[in-house]
Structure formats: C-alpha cells, structure tokens
Amino acid sequence: MIAFLGPRPKSPPYVFESMFLSRTPKLGVEWLMVLALVMCANAFAQQPTVLTNVTVIDGSGRPAQRNRTVVIKGDRIQAIAAGRKHTPSSAKVIDLRGQTIMPLIINTHGHLGLTKGTTQSAANQTDDNFRHQLLRYQEYGVGAVLSMGTDGKHFAEIREQSRRGALPGADVYTAGIGFGAKNGVPPAAMGFTEVFRPETLGEARSEVAQQVPQKPDFIKVWVDDFWGQYPKMPPEIFGAIIDEAHKNGLRVAAHVYHLEDARLLVADGVDVLAHSIRDADVDDALIAEMKKHNVAYIPTLSLDDFAFAYGGSPKWVDDPFFTAALDPGVLEMITSPEYKAKVQSNKVTAQEQAALPQAMHNLKKIYDAGILVTLGTDSGATPIRIQGFAEHMELALMVQAGLTPIQAITVATLNAAKLLRIEDQYGTLTAGKKANFIVLEKDPSQDIHNTQTIRAVWKDGNKISDGPIAAGTSAMPR
C-alpha cells in the first residue's frame, strides 16, 4: 500500500493502482483514505488492553492473586503476571487498584423465556423476552446458561441465534424439550406445556430420537412428585430415555428430590443429578456409584430458599442488587400481605424449610467426596426465582453449606465449564482463554457477598456493562 503513494512504476504489479489513480484520481484518493481508516481501525482493535494492580481470582481453585497485571489482546487473555513488567508500550492501561476480577459465572440450570412480569407461560417465549433475560443474566456477571428442558421445538434455533450474536447477552446452552410424567411434574398448569410426556417405552425412545438431529446439550427428565401431589415418572420410562440418549451420544440430566430416585437414576446411567437430594442423607454407597460413573451434581440451593423466604422479610428484598433484577410487578407481589400469608399457610413451606439444610448437608458431603459439583439455580422457572440475583444467592448458600468462597467460585466457573465441555475456552482466567470476567469493587474470597459489588462486566476482551447498579451494598445474609 505504501508504494501507491510514491512514483507509479509502469510494471504489471501496479496496474491495479494505475487504474484507480491515473484514470479516476478522485476515486483513488478516496479509496486510499478508506484503506487508511480501515488500517487505523484494525491497529486500534489490536491494541492490547492492560489491567494493572488488580486482584485476580482465576477460577482454578487457587487463592486470590494480588497486584497482578492482566494483558488482553483481541478477545483473549495474553498474560497474567505480577507487577507491570509485561505491559506492552502501546497498550491501553486501566488501573484497577483495590478491585478484583473473577471469571463470568456459568449457570448450569436455568430456564429461558418462561416468565414475564408475574406470569409464567410458554407464550412468553418471544425473541424480545429471550433477549431481555439473557441481557439481565449478563448484567449480573452470568456469561452462559444451560436452559433445562423448557425451550420447546425451537431450542436449536435459540441456541444458534445466541451463538451468532442475534440474541445478545449470556450464551445459551439447551436441554431441548424435556420429559415429564403424564399429568405430572413439571405441571402443565404452571406453564410447562412444551414438555414430552411419554406413556410407553416406544414413545420415550421416539421422542428422544426426534431431538437427536438438533444435538441438544443435554436431555432433561423430571423424576419427582412434588411431595406426593403428582404422578411420578415410572423407572422404566426414564430408563428408556437414558438408554436412547446414550445410544445417540447425548447426556441426561434429572430433576430429582428423593434419595431412592437418585439411586435408580444413577444405576440407569444418568449423567447429572440436576437438583439436591433433600429427603435424606446421601450415603457412601450412592456416592461411590456417582464417582464410579462420573455423575455430576447441581444443588440449586436457592430454589428451596426462594420457596419460603418471601413468607418473611429477608434483608435482601429491599437491596438494590435484588430489586434491579425484578420484572415489573414482582416486588409488589412478593411483598404483599396476601402473598406472605399464602407462603406461610402453604403446607409445602415447612417441607421446603426442612429441605434446605438437608440439601446443604448433602452438598458438602458430595463436594468433599470429589464429585463434580456445578452451580445451578433453576432461575427463570417461576417469577420468584430471580435471574441474575439467584446466581449470587447460590454462591452465598454454598458458602453457608461449608464450602470456602474460593471453592464456591470454582464450582460456578471452572466446574460449570467442565460440565458444558467448554473449559478449553471458558471458566478460568489464564493465558490463551477468553477474556470474560467480572470486575468487583471488593474481594469475594474474603466475603462471598462481594460478588455482588459488580463494577463492570467484560466479554470477549471488551467491557460491555457497568453491572446492574451503579453503586450499592452487598445483600447480607438473613
């Protein structure tokens, strides 16, 4: 390109240049100006960004690393080192003194599009609502979400739109069309109408096979009766679903509550228990089988907390970090005397209150046994399970259960990336991986509630958000 600006030789390599400059001089100059602008833009795009004086929680399980310099080029982390000796001279330097970065959270159990305001229905699953919810997740530092079995017939299209950027926000992974029991869980009356409900082994296998061409990230089965209120899926049906999925290279995640159901599912080869076991202590025999077959565990502790919390007045209900995540009408609903009375009088409330400490106990035992535990929340399944806020609540509950803050963060980042098989690109902050992280005002390794002090969200090497609120305090435990 430089040769175009000097004398114009008559040799063949410059025929193209002569065509523009000698025959149409004005066009040639404009063309050169466009090229120069493009070259400048490209050079600017390749300019490294350097974060200095920052504390790094890299998601690997290592302790927080103080006073680090992070070099970002393009969408990747180029280097993380102590001090500033690795700072390129051409870099844009951002001083993050006193602040902390951690990888974006990955939610391995959520739901997309079902809720809008105080309603829940498959009719809410519009492009606008998907976009709204994925952006909300992202505002709260959630970089990816596995939507667990409620995405309907267009699940592959939703995932593709997300991957190509037509749906901005958190990246979408999907369990396609899930499987429930006839007249059972998940209740159609609660809006779960886009679910297969096979009554025969043939139907079960056929409905799995229907989804194989779209390659869902998981197949979801609901194996629960909601405290005896609904029929439960027969073991032979979920056994056939698991078998057919495995024949076609698909993994299966199961909604579970009872210990004995978990035993049957693990014996049949389920890949993920997608909720906590909440009716009894897990025993060594089940843990041994889970380890033998590499069964992962998603505790979803916040699900149980949300089920009874609004019967009282939790401290976080007025916190800006919580209220900023709410759809219109939800705050008024959950704080109304009528709703509080409904929760308090519900016969299930006492069972949920007992379920949470049982779930916490089982989480700690399963985690300590070396089983892969990942973060999931069931956020978005109902209007009271708040997308974005729930993921930070889940981190706090895992710490209450006995995990350290660093362990909980690793569950939400590296472990979750492993479950989705994306750990080569996501889940930790290290050279060569995506520059996807949250900037926090305070260090969550000191107090897990500090994950709520979001000051920026970065994705693919660019700052894309200042977080859900400009300032505010962390929501403290009740």
Side-chain angles (χ1 to χ4, degrees):
M1 298 300 179
I2 293 174
F4 289 5
L5 301 177
R8 292 174 290 162
K10 302 297 183 181
S11 52
Y14 296 89
V15 170
F16 186 74
E17 176 266 340
S18 297
M19 178 179 70
F20 279 90
L21 292 186
S22 61
R23 297 185 184 180
T24 54
K26 184 177 180 181
L27 180 60
V29 170
E30 290 178 349
W31 183 68
L32 285 173
M33 290 175 65
V34 169
L35 282 177
L37 288 171
V38 169
M39 291 170 69
C40 288
N42 286 341
F44 182 78
Q46 292 301 311
Q47 180 188 28
T49 298
V50 176
L51 314 178
T52 62
N53 304 309
V54 65
T55 296
V56 176
I57 297 175
D58 65 12
S60 71
R62 291 199 298 167
Q65 305 164 58
R66 314 286 173 194
N67 190 32
R68 287 306 190 260
T69 294
V70 181
V71 182
I72 301 166
K73 191 167 186 180
D75 65 349
R76 305 280 164 171
I77 294 173
Q78 194 171 58
I80 299 177
R84 293 188 57 175
K85 59 185 177 183
H86 292 279
T87 304
S89 58
S90 61
K92 174 185 177 182
V93 178
I94 302 173
D95 189 345
L96 292 182
R97 188 181 305 275
Q99 299 183 60
T100 300
I101 64 172
M102 61 171 275
L104 293 182
I105 295 166
I106 299 171
N107 179 10
T108 61
H109 190 153
H111 294 273
L112 292 174
L114 283 173
T115 60
K116 186 174 184 180
T118 60
T119 69
Q120 59 192 76
S121 168
N124 290 331
Q125 291 182 310
T126 64
D127 281 352
D128 283 347
N129 204 30
F130 283 130
R131 181 178 290 103
H132 165 67
Q133 293 186 357
L134 291 169
L135 285 170
R136 179 197 293 158
Y137 273 126
Q138 184 174 270
E139 286 282 297
Y140 279 77
V142 180
V145 58
L146 170 60
S147 188
M148 273 290 199
T150 54
D151 294 336
K153 297 179 178 64
H154 302 293
F155 70 85
E157 180 183 339
I158 295 164
R159 181 177 56 190
E160 174 58 27
Q161 287 178 351
S162 171
R163 301 293 167 82
R164 70 170 188 263
L167 278 175
D171 295 338
V172 173
Y173 295 81
T174 177
I177 305 173
F179 290 79
K182 182 183 179 183
N183 300 319
V185 175
M190 291 176 62
F192 297 96
T193 53
E194 297 290 325
V195 175
F196 287 126
R197 301 183 187 274
E199 297 182 65
T200 67
L201 303 186
E203 288 175 356
R205 291 183 181 276
S206 173
E207 287 162 355
V208 172
Q210 287 177 37
Q211 300 187 74
V212 171
Q214 285 76 43
K215 299 180 180 178
D217 300 291
F218 285 89
I219 294 290
K220 167 76 174 289
V221 295
W222 277 266
V223 181
D224 192 7
D225 59 7
F226 281 13
W227 308 278
Q229 298 179 90
Y230 295 94
K232 189 182 293 186
M233 180 182 287
E236 60 270 20
I237 296 293
F238 65 68
I241 293 168
I242 294 169
D243 182 63
E244 190 66 26
H246 286 177
K247 284 181 178 178
N248 288 282
L250 300 175
R251 293 181 290 166
V252 180
H255 174 119
V256 69
Y257 185 97
H258 298 286
L259 176 64
E260 292 309 313
D261 291 334
R263 289 193 204 282
L264 294 172
L265 285 158
V266 171
D268 277 342
V270 78
D271 300 282
V272 182
L273 297 178
H275 289 288
S276 287
I277 296 165
R278 286 160 281 173
D279 68 325
D281 289 358
V282 293
D283 52 41
D284 293 341
L286 177 60
I287 288 176
E289 286 300 301
M290 290 176 69
K291 291 184 72 173
K292 179 180 177 181
H293 298 289
N294 297 314
V295 179
Y297 193 73
I298 308 175
T300 63
L301 303 175
S302 55
L303 175 156
D304 298 292
D305 204 352
F306 280 131
F308 62 83
Y310 303 120
S313 298
K315 290 181 180 179
W316 42 260
V317 80
D318 294 320
D319 191 282
F321 192 79
F322 173 72
T323 58
L326 301 179
D327 272 0
V330 174
L331 183 63
E332 292 76 10
M333 178 183 76
I334 61 177
T335 56
S336 69
E338 295 80 11
Y339 191 84
K340 290 179 181 294
K342 179 182 175 182
V343 173
Q344 292 166 3
S345 64
N346 192 331
K347 65 180 181 180
V348 168
T349 296
Q351 293 169 297
E352 288 284 11
Q353 288 173 319
L356 181 56
Q358 181 68 70
M360 288 180 167
H361 171 80
N362 287 340
L363 164 60
K364 184 64 164 68
K365 188 170 183 179
I366 285 171
Y367 180 89
D368 288 346
I371 289 168
L372 182 70
V373 175
T374 71
L375 181 139
T377 60
D378 213 19
S379 57
T382 71
I384 66 169
R385 300 176 194 165
I386 310 303
Q387 293 160 320
F389 177 81
E391 288 65 41
H392 295 268
M393 183 179 187
E394 188 75 18
L395 286 166
L397 289 169
M398 286 193 287
V399 171
Q400 281 185 241
L403 275 62
T404 69
I406 288 291
Q407 288 172 337
I409 289 169
T410 304
V411 163
T413 55
L414 175 59
N415 286 13
K418 286 180 176 178
L419 184 67
L420 297 183
R421 296 176 175 170
I422 56 174
E423 71 271 23
D424 60 330
Q425 302 289 324
Y426 304 95
T428 55
L429 302 180
T430 187
K433 290 193 180 182
K434 289 274 194 174
N436 293 350
F437 54 87
I438 316 168
V439 180
L440 303 169
E441 182 180 326
K442 299 178 182 179
D443 179 0
S445 71
Q446 303 300 310
D447 180 346
I448 194 61
H449 296 91
N450 289 339
T451 64
Q452 299 176 24
T453 62
I454 300 173
R455 293 298 165 258
V457 178
W458 285 59
K459 187 174 183 180
D460 294 332
N462 295 296
K463 178 183 172 182
I464 54 173
S465 168
D466 290 321
I469 54 176
T473 58
S474 298
M476 290 293 108
R478 292 184 305 280

